[in-house]
Amino acid sequence: MRPVALVATVFTAAAFVAAGPALAQDYPTGPVTIVVPFSAGGPTDTVTRLVAEPMSASLGQQIVVQNVGGAGGTLGATQVAKAPPDGYTLLLHHIGMSTAPSLYPDLAFDPVKDFAPIGLVASVPMTIIARKDFPPNTLQELIAYVKENADTVTYANAGIGAASHLCGMLFMAAIDTELVTVPYQGTGPAMTDLIGGQVDFMCDQTTNTTGQILGGEVKAYAVTSPERLANLPDVPTTAEAGLPDFALGVWHGLYAPAGTPQAALDKLETALQAAVADPTVAERFAELGTAPATAEEATPAALGKLLTEQIALWKPLIEAAGAKAQ
Ligand code: ASP
């Protein structure tokens, strides 16, 4: 038995070596899936669909966007961490990739070891918004109102570790008040409920709030960027509105499972570079209060460095806030 098994093993390995490089060079020969770890129609989904089109043109293959919401983005990320490392399943995740290890004691993946970074996609400011008939009209009024009605005011987010959760966590720490949070699988559905009046307020990215603010469907109190945004000139910054130390930008990165062949990673990087250089993408991002990553940022090295830095940055902040997924 033994020699036969040995021969079989050697044969399999030889076949793999012969086929492996050829397959990697031909990549991609079929559709590529990008997993968005939040619901369709939300900010991460919007960013993904904007870059998917030019990436698809560059790769010469269709890109399928798959929404796998839940647990603040960790379910979708877990799915990609465990997917075959062949370049056909990717993850587009935001800042939550760096906060998950500090928030989830039983996290099923390691953001650094289980993924190969491809590049940064965009950084997006956030807005603190409310249903349009919510009584407070300014950030200062919101703070006073929330402090007085902490038991009844509801704050929507996309689960622990989502950007909307982090923003709420920082807001609660800044005003020293605990809020009642209502988690969704993404802020797309949370926005629908906010407009419908089922929840009171939330903090979400401009990619999901600009249209609704400009259309008067929701009320905006502040943008979390250091400067006001060109397309929302009447909305003050958090610093101007009275929270000087409060700023948050939500960076998004594209990842493949660790072990993906280098030839595939190189093609994906080229495709991402094409997407961030695309004038239509830049125009659409500008309408949504942001810009695509630069050519230097849309690289594995830049995303890998940022991810490591952000994991270290958020750990003490999360510990100080006492936030943890159960
Ligand atoms: N990016 C959103 C958040 O973190 C979730 C989403 O994309 O739906 O709150």
Side-chain angles (χ1 to χ4, degrees):
M1 276 311 289
R2 213 156 170 217
V4 174
L6 190 65
V7 168
T9 308
V10 170
F11 177 76
T12 309
F16 178 76
V17 168
L23 284 177
Q25 295 310 333
D26 291 347
Y27 170 88
T29 55
V32 173
T33 296
I34 302 184
V35 171
V36 169
F38 297 103
S39 307
T44 316
D45 185 67
T46 298
V47 166
T48 306
R49 288 177 198 271
L50 279 174
V51 294
E53 215 176 296
M55 282 190 70
S56 160
S58 166
L59 292 169
Q61 287 292 344
Q62 198 197 348
I63 292 187
V64 178
V65 176
Q66 188 190 1
N67 298 89
V68 184
T74 58
L75 295 187
T78 301
Q79 180 173 314
V80 179
K82 300 194 181 317
D86 54 11
Y88 290 96
T89 309
L90 311 175
L91 173 71
L92 201 147
H93 198 351
H94 62 26
I95 191 167
M97 191 73 160
S98 66
T99 57
S102 305
L103 288 165
Y104 287 83
D106 300 320
L107 194 64
F109 64 90
D110 181 316
V112 174
K113 290 195 193 119
D114 292 338
F115 289 92
I118 295 165
L120 202 66
V121 179
S123 288
V124 186
M126 301 192 88
T127 44
I128 301 177
I129 58 171
R131 60 182 165 85
K132 69 174 182 211
D133 53 355
F134 197 45
N137 285 317
T138 63
L139 190 65
Q140 286 305 323
E141 285 180 21
L142 174 73
I143 295 169
Y145 188 89
V146 156
K147 277 175 165 285
E148 243 170 66
N149 303 282
D151 295 345
T152 51
V153 168
T154 49
Y155 176 82
N157 69 25
I160 294 181
S164 45
H165 162 255
L166 296 175
C167 187
M169 185 188 88
L170 296 179
F171 184 70
M172 289 185 227
I175 68 168
D176 198 18
T177 305
E178 197 68 33
L179 295 169
V180 180
T181 54
V182 183
Y184 291 80
Q185 292 205 349
T187 45
M191 177 61 93
T192 305
D193 273 10
L194 192 73
I195 292 171
Q198 278 89 38
V199 279
D200 294 325
F201 83 114
M202 73 169 170
C203 177
D204 197 23
Q205 295 151 71
T206 55
T207 34
N208 194 39
T209 64
T210 303
Q212 292 82 345
I213 294 170
L214 293 173
E217 290 171 286
V218 297
K219 191 180 264 200
Y221 299 115
V223 290
T224 65
S225 46
E227 308 287 338
R228 287 192 188 208
L229 303 177
N231 56 346
L232 294 173
D234 300 334
V235 183
T237 65
T238 28
E240 285 172 338
L243 289 177
D245 300 323
F246 191 106
L248 187 58
V250 184
W251 53 274
H252 296 71
L254 183 66
Y255 307 82
T260 300
Q262 192 58 44
L265 293 175
D266 290 346
K267 284 198 181 153
L268 289 165
E269 185 187 350
T270 303
L272 179 61
Q273 288 280 337
V276 297
D278 187 310
T280 313
V281 171
E283 205 177 295
R284 190 70 191 110
F285 272 33
E287 286 166 7
L288 297 172
T290 186
T294 62
E296 294 73 36
E297 290 167 340
T299 59
L303 178 58
K305 181 168 178 283
L306 182 67
L307 177 65
T308 316
E309 285 169 0
Q310 290 268 307
I311 290 171
L313 177 91
W314 281 100
K315 194 172 189 295
L317 294 174
I318 289 167
E319 279 168 6
K324 248 282 158 277
Q326 298 307 320

